[in-house]
Amino acid sequence: MKHSRIIITALCCAAITGSAASSAFILQPQSVVSAQDTTEMAHDPSRNIQEEGVGNPFNYGERNTPENASTQEIRAINHKMSVQEVKYSLFKEVDEHWDLIKVRFGETEREKVYALFLGLASRESTLGGNGDGSDLETAQGDGFGVSSAHAYGPMQTAVTAFLGCDPTFMKEDDVPEMFQYTLSESTFYDCIISNHMGIRKLMHFVRSAIVDYNLEGYQVVRASLKAFNTGWANYTGEDDGYYKNYPDEIIAMAHWYYDNGHLYDNVFTWTNDERCASYRNDPWGWWKDVNPSLDPITEAPPVNKPLKGDVDVNGSVTTADFTKLISYMFNLTELTDEQAENADMDDSGIINIIDVIKLKQKLLEN
């Protein structure tokens, strides 16, 4: 440990002097993963999923990519994700907000909710089954954030979900239980943030279905799925073919994942897949006994995300933060947990010379 501290000290000197290097659509899969895929679940099979969730076996953080990476770099990282990794990236966000989701959906069985999000992401992206990972973008032709249909990620979360989008778009700011990211290319194109904001968007439409349209039971969830794509959580009658093509198709695919044991592997389905035919006959039958609610939850309200580089936690990133980090690296001072989290610029779990360089770069960019 002392040896690594000496090496770090020498590198810190170099850093100080500046000498260190410094919209819904139908997807038809190009290649189908066999239903006999034997990929093992990534999480510990002894876990009590209902009580504990899957436990984030791929160690996803609050984002999937470095905050200061370029859009091209961010998308390249997302592009490499397997179907299984995309699945677990969705489960990670479900688990983090489980107390909220189970009350709003009225469904207390966690694996059913996992399945629902797999159905939604299959309808929107086939879970990366086309070889795209989580890197799928639509309606971007007019430029970044210009179209309200501009969407990205496994669930195709639209820019409308984000704080600071075009003010003419309908606001989705009534989910105080979940943090709302500000729209930027860095947040919009990150897979984990996209998943988080997609769930938040659904929670917004659950509220709308209950408050604005007095819906109850499974129709609340059905309407929130419809609204995820259309922007309106109203009930439009059973003869409306749109239900068949979107929310009813989503829940049928969800049932297929759940019923056939494909929650945790690399197997995926897609819109109009014949394997799901039997689940379309009564798509909501397995979800009808639910009671969605706007009851308060016991989950603590969200807190602002760490401001990377704000080592002295005063709300801004200045040279004083660089000085404090260098002092820590020279073993002259200690950091609190909050200070250490902000000092860990690359979210590696270790504070080292890389963080010093990244903080210096951030100061130069400002």
Side-chain angles (χ1 to χ4, degrees), residues 191-206:
C191 168
I192 297 297
I193 292 177
S194 179
N195 291 344
H196 172 97
M197 295 302 286
I199 292 175
R200 191 182 187 282
K201 187 179 183 73
L202 270 180
M203 298 302 100
H204 159 73
F205 285 121
V206 165

Side-chain angles (χ1 to χ4, degrees), residues 51 132 269:
E51 297 299 323
D132 301 313
T269 186

Side-chain angles (χ1 to χ4, degrees), residues 88 138 142 156 159 168 274 307 310 330 351:
Y88 277 93
T138 54
D142 294 330
Q156 288 294 277
V159 297
T168 65
E274 284 302 312
L307 176 58
D310 182 19
F330 277 99
I351 300 174

